[in-house]
């Protein structure tokens, strides 16, 4: 019973494998959602399409840096700066770019979940009996 209750204390702590699974799930899911967002843009000029792709890949890369880089705070700053730049370009009066309506919220939620996951505790796994015997 004590072991069962103790496991509830670790609900918001990941093992290394659970952390990696969480990051992979976020990346796969939000990659698909971005594909849907970009699939709804219709027929736009090639120049605008290329700019949209460059902005999107920059934001995706910045979000991935949050979860893969050793420099957490710098990566979070870059991701935030990238998303702010995209929002500013979308809001500008001279119409630099017109982002698909759901692209920026998708990137924002993905970034926020990546940051939350990155700052979750990772607990050290104890080797199972089989793994301990394999190490011998």
């Amino acid at each position: 019973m004590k072991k069962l209750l103790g496991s509830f204390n670790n609900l918001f702590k990941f093992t290394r494998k659970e952390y990696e699974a969480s990051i992979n799930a976020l990346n796969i899911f939000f990659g698909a959602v971005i594909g849907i967002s970009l699939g709804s843009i219709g027929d736009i000029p090639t120049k605008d399409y290329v700019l949209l792709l460059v902005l999107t890949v920059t934001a995706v890369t910045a979000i991935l840096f949050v979860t893969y880089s050793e420099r957490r705070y710098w990566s979070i700053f870059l991701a935030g700066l990238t998303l702010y730049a995209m929002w500013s370009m979308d809001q500008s009066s001279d119409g630099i770019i017109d982002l698909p309506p759901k692209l920026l919220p998708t990137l924002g939620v993905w970034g926020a979940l990546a940051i939350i996951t990155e700052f979750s505790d990772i607990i050290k796994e104890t080797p199972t009996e089989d793994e301990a015997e394999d190490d011998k």
Side-chain angles (χ1 to χ4, degrees), residues 4-5 9 12 26-27 29 48 51-52 57 62 64 69 76 82 91 105 107-109 117 121:
L4 175 66
L5 292 176
N9 291 332
F12 297 102
L26 286 173
N27 295 343
F29 176 77
D48 291 346
L51 180 59
L52 179 61
V57 76
L64 290 176
S69 176
I76 291 168
T82 302
Q91 301 296 315
L107 291 168
V109 169
T117 302
D121 288 334

Side-chain angles (χ1 to χ4, degrees), residues 51 55-56 58-59 77-92 96-97 99 104 107:
L51 180 59
L55 290 172
T56 303
T58 302
F77 173 74
L78 288 178
L81 186 64
T82 302
L83 294 176
Y84 176 75
M86 288 179 73
W87 177 81
S88 296
M89 292 173 86
D90 189 45
Q91 301 296 315
S92 70
I96 295 173
I97 191 164
L99 296 176
L104 205 50
L107 291 168

Side-chain angles (χ1 to χ4, degrees), residues 6-27:
S7 68
F8 283 109
N9 291 332
N10 292 331
L11 285 178
F12 297 102
K13 295 180 181 181
F14 293 122
T15 64
R16 175 58 58 185
K17 289 180 182 180
E18 291 168 342
Y19 167 80
E20 290 171 5
S22 297
I23 294 301
N24 287 336
L26 286 173
N27 295 343

